[in-house]
Amino acid sequence: MKKFIERLWRERIASFDDCPLPGQLPVNEGERVLVFAPHSDDEILGCGGTLALLRRKNCPVRVVVVTDGAGGDPHNYVAGDVVRVREQESRAALKLVGVEDVVFWSEPDGNFRGSAAFDRKVNAVMEEFRPTWLFLPSPLDYHRDHVAISLAVLSCWQRRARPGRAFFYEIWCPLPATWIVDIGEVIDLKKQAIGCYHLPLRYRDYSVPCLGLAAYRGLYLPAADVPRYAEAFVEAERKWRGISYHLLRLRASLEGLLGK
């Protein structure tokens, strides 16, 4: 049986395209963009360059920061209200990329659990804002909050009859990208926006790996004499057993492998 399965896979692999690469996602006027960020800074790290380009096209963009960020200062660098500090940093970073429509839902940081009440909030904001593009965290991500929020929001979107597209963005775990966005013209703006997150940057310089990932994703763009930068996404499907299902299964497998 093992040899039979291996032969089937060899035949299937032989039929693969030589080197399929993700396509470039056109950033056009007229999109209405709703972003779900598990924590303050995820929206800039994952898709900040794309948001800047969308705002340059005058596309309405709303960011929902789901958790309150209360667990974001375990070493107590902030003497005052950590939640307020993280909100201020998020507003400042988003303003740099042209986004001022941001709301904070204050779910528990590090312990998010989906619920009927949360689903009602997601459905309400989708009904009121009517997004044509939805950005949400990856179900393959290493952070539990990111995975749980991804699944909760995705399930609400999949049940909706309205047209629109949904895209997973990457932070802690790279995705098998299906789309990329060329963010070369706004890469400095993304770097400045990351710099607004003074509290997280006291724990780690996120700009180095984030910009490094963008440079790596730039390999998918046509060659040029200057470095290219891109953000990568996986487009979700409305059917349950689509790519999101396989990403969740892989995340579950990783849990077992990394837990050993």
Side-chain angles (χ1 to χ4, degrees):
M1 177 61 72
K2 181 180 179 181
K3 289 184 177 180
F4 175 73
I5 294 173
E6 288 176 349
R7 181 172 62 82
L8 288 179
W9 268 109
R10 283 196 296 270
E11 292 174 357
R12 185 172 182 183
I13 291 169
S15 69
F16 285 176
D17 288 340
D18 180 32
C19 187
L21 293 176
Q24 285 191 244
L25 182 65
V27 177
N28 300 319
E29 296 179 358
E31 303 296 349
R32 295 183 59 81
V33 183
L34 182 62
V35 185
F36 281 86
H39 312 92
S40 294
D41 73 10
D42 288 330
E43 73 290 342
I44 295 296
L45 296 175
C47 54
T50 302
L51 299 185
L53 293 172
L54 286 161
R55 288 299 297 133
R56 288 187 174 187
K57 296 286 187 177
N58 294 315
C59 297
V61 175
R62 176 176 296 177
V63 173
V64 177
V65 180
V66 176
T67 69
D68 60 13
D73 188 24
H75 293 167
N76 298 315
Y77 288 125
V78 174
D81 187 341
V82 175
V83 172
R84 182 179 59 82
V85 168
R86 298 204 70 186
E87 287 189 8
Q88 289 175 340
E89 290 179 349
S90 189
R91 291 185 188 279
L94 285 166
K95 187 173 183 179
L96 272 178
V97 299
V99 178
E100 298 198 42
D101 187 353
V102 52
V103 294
F104 300 88
W105 281 4
S106 301
E107 294 286 333
D109 183 8
N111 196 33
F112 173 84
R113 294 290 186 273
S115 65
F118 182 80
D119 288 354
R120 286 193 292 271
K121 290 169 69 174
V122 172
N123 289 326
V125 73
M126 286 188 182
E127 184 63 28
E128 184 266 322
F129 189 76
R130 296 177 182 249
T132 59
W133 280 12
L134 176 69
F135 287 102
L136 59 159
S138 162
L140 184 57
D141 203 280
Y142 289 128
H143 197 301
R144 184 178 62 191
D145 279 353
H146 294 203
V147 181
I149 290 167
S150 177
L151 179 59
V153 176
L154 178 68
S155 295
C156 292
W157 177 77
Q158 288 176 324
R159 290 193 295 267
R160 290 176 61 79
R162 295 188 182 279
R165 302 171 72 182
F167 304 92
F168 299 122
Y169 57 82
E170 57 188 2
I171 298 179
W172 287 101
C173 184
L175 284 165
T178 60
W179 293 104
I180 57 168
V181 174
D182 184 347
I183 62 167
E185 67 181 84
V186 293
I187 190 64
D188 289 337
L189 198 59
K190 176 164 178 162
K191 185 176 182 178
Q192 293 172 31
I194 294 173
C196 291
Y197 288 104
H198 302 290
L199 178 56
L201 289 172
R202 296 198 67 172
Y203 288 89
R204 178 169 295 182
D205 186 354
Y206 290 96
S207 64
V208 172
C210 183
L211 299 178
L213 180 58
Y216 169 73
R217 291 307 192 182
L219 290 173
Y220 299 144
L221 297 168
D225 294 333
V226 296
R228 307 295 300 271
Y229 297 92
E231 289 173 342
F233 304 94
V234 168
E235 184 163 4
E237 303 151 291
R238 290 197 181 271
K239 61 181 181 179
W240 166 241
R241 293 183 71 89
I243 193 167
S244 57
Y245 170 80
H246 296 292
L247 292 174
L248 278 167
R249 285 189 55 145
L250 180 55
R251 174 59 176 82
S253 297
L254 285 171
E255 185 76 17
L257 291 171
L258 296 173
K260 292 181 178 179

